Structures are given as structure tokens and as C-alpha cells.
Amino acid sequence: MRRLRQLLGSISFRLALIYTLIFATSVSSLFYYVYWNSSGFALRQIETAIQVDSAGFQESYQRGGAAALVMAINRRVSPEARDQGIYLLTDSMGNAIAGNLPSWPTQVATDDLWINFEIQYLTGTSEETADVRALQYIVPDGFQLLVGRDIRDAQRFRRLLLDSFATGLAFTIAIGLLGGLI
């Protein structure tokens, strides 16, 4: 026990501990930077896909009016499309005209232009809840258009990154402390 106290009180161990703390801080900073960029990239990809879908729908409407918009939405929600998009076009009374949502979402969280909400999984074969990030538009003639994507994969990726970084940081500290003891 006395030998352990001497070891822990030695200048060598203290220097190793200081070096480990400095190294762990720098590794944490690097991990945070990678996490911030990587998880932000995944969300930006989803937002870009939503904006591309929206631009396509706007072009369809400009070329052929509401009928062309309905056809474009129906093409996106057809089983052959295998699209991950979430779409809804409603009339001025809020009745669904086209899309893969039965009605406009009721509990919506807004952050500037984007809205976030949860829905029951679209296939009907599962009781899962999808987390959706979407844009909403008012189309001329009183129509409302909702264009979104399920963001659960991006959220899982974010959690996986955090778990990996926490494990990496724990190993970094453990190896530094072990090196200090040796």
C-alpha cells in the first residue's frame, strides 16, 4: 500500500497524468469536430434531398398545374419508386389529395423554415414511429404541400458516432493512465 502511494505521488506519475489529461482534451476536441461535421453532413444531405424534391414539385406545378403536381407526387409514392420521401398535398380544406400521409401532422416543432414531427411508420407493417424533417409550402389555388424525409438513419448515425467517440476517449484515458503506472 505504501509503495502504491509512493507511485501515485511520484513526479513521473503526475507528469504522465498531466500528459494524459492534455492528450484526452485534444482527442476530445478532435472527436467533437469530426462528430459535428459528420452528423451535420448527414442532416444537410437529407435537407438537400428535400429541397431537390420540392424544386421538382414546383416545376411540375408550373408546367401543368395541380394535375401535374398530383401526378408527380403519386410517382414518388408508388411502390416502384422506393423513395424515402414523405409527401402530402392537401386542398384548401385540409383534405389529402396526394401523398403517403393520411393528413397534415398536428404536433409540429418548427425551427425557422424547417418543421419536425413524428408519424407512425408509413408501411403499416410496423408500429415504429418515424421522425420527419420537412418543408411546407402554400401552393397557388389554396393547396398546401409538405415534402419531408425520415431522419432516423441520421439520428442513429449521430448516436453511433457519439458512442464510438466515448469509447475511444475512455481507451485513450485508460492507456494514458496505464502508461503512467508503468
Side-chain angles (χ1 to χ4, degrees):
M1 189 67 164
R2 182 173 183 253
R3 182 159 163 80
L4 182 62
R5 264 190 256 139
Q6 283 179 334
L7 176 66
L8 295 179
S10 70
I11 191 75
S12 299
F13 183 78
R14 288 181 189 169
L15 287 174
L17 184 61
I18 290 170
Y19 175 74
T20 299
L21 290 175
I22 292 170
F23 190 69
T25 302
S26 63
V27 166
S28 296
S29 299
L30 177 64
F31 282 171
Y32 177 75
Y33 176 76
V34 170
Y35 166 76
W36 183 72
N37 276 326
S38 299
S39 63
F41 177 74
L43 188 59
R44 284 189 302 275
Q45 272 190 313
I46 291 170
E47 289 175 350
T48 299
I50 292 168
Q51 290 168 334
V52 167
D53 284 349
S54 299
F57 290 144
Q58 289 171 356
E59 285 179 27
S60 293
Y61 183 81
Q62 288 171 351
R63 279 183 287 148
L69 179 58
V70 169
M71 287 176 49
I73 292 171
N74 286 336
R75 276 193 303 271
R76 293 285 173 91
V77 298
S78 72
E80 297 84 36
R82 298 193 190 278
D83 195 343
Q84 296 176 350
I86 295 167
Y87 311 105
L88 178 63
L89 179 67
T90 63
D91 63 15
S92 60
M93 301 298 290
N95 300 314
I97 296 173
N100 52 5
L101 285 179
S103 63
W104 203 267
T106 54
Q107 295 184 349
V108 174
T110 306
D111 67 32
D112 294 329
L113 180 65
W114 295 93
I115 62 171
N116 299 297
F117 57 93
E118 291 182 350
I119 57 170
Q120 285 302 106
Y121 195 66
L122 299 173
T123 62
T125 60
S126 174
E127 290 297 318
E128 289 185 64
T129 300
D131 293 321
V132 178
R133 185 151 178 87
L135 289 172
Q136 56 187 350
Y137 299 95
I138 296 179
V139 182
D141 303 326
F143 296 105
Q144 282 189 299
L145 176 63
L146 179 91
V147 181
R149 295 277 172 147
D150 185 357
I151 60 172
R152 286 180 297 169
D153 288 340
Q155 291 169 333
R156 280 191 281 270
F157 177 67
R158 180 177 269 182
R159 279 191 299 274
L160 179 66
L161 277 176
L162 278 177
D163 292 346
S164 298
F165 293 158
T167 303
L169 183 60
F171 279 129
T172 299
I173 291 171
I175 290 170
L177 291 175
L178 182 64
L181 286 172
I182 291 173

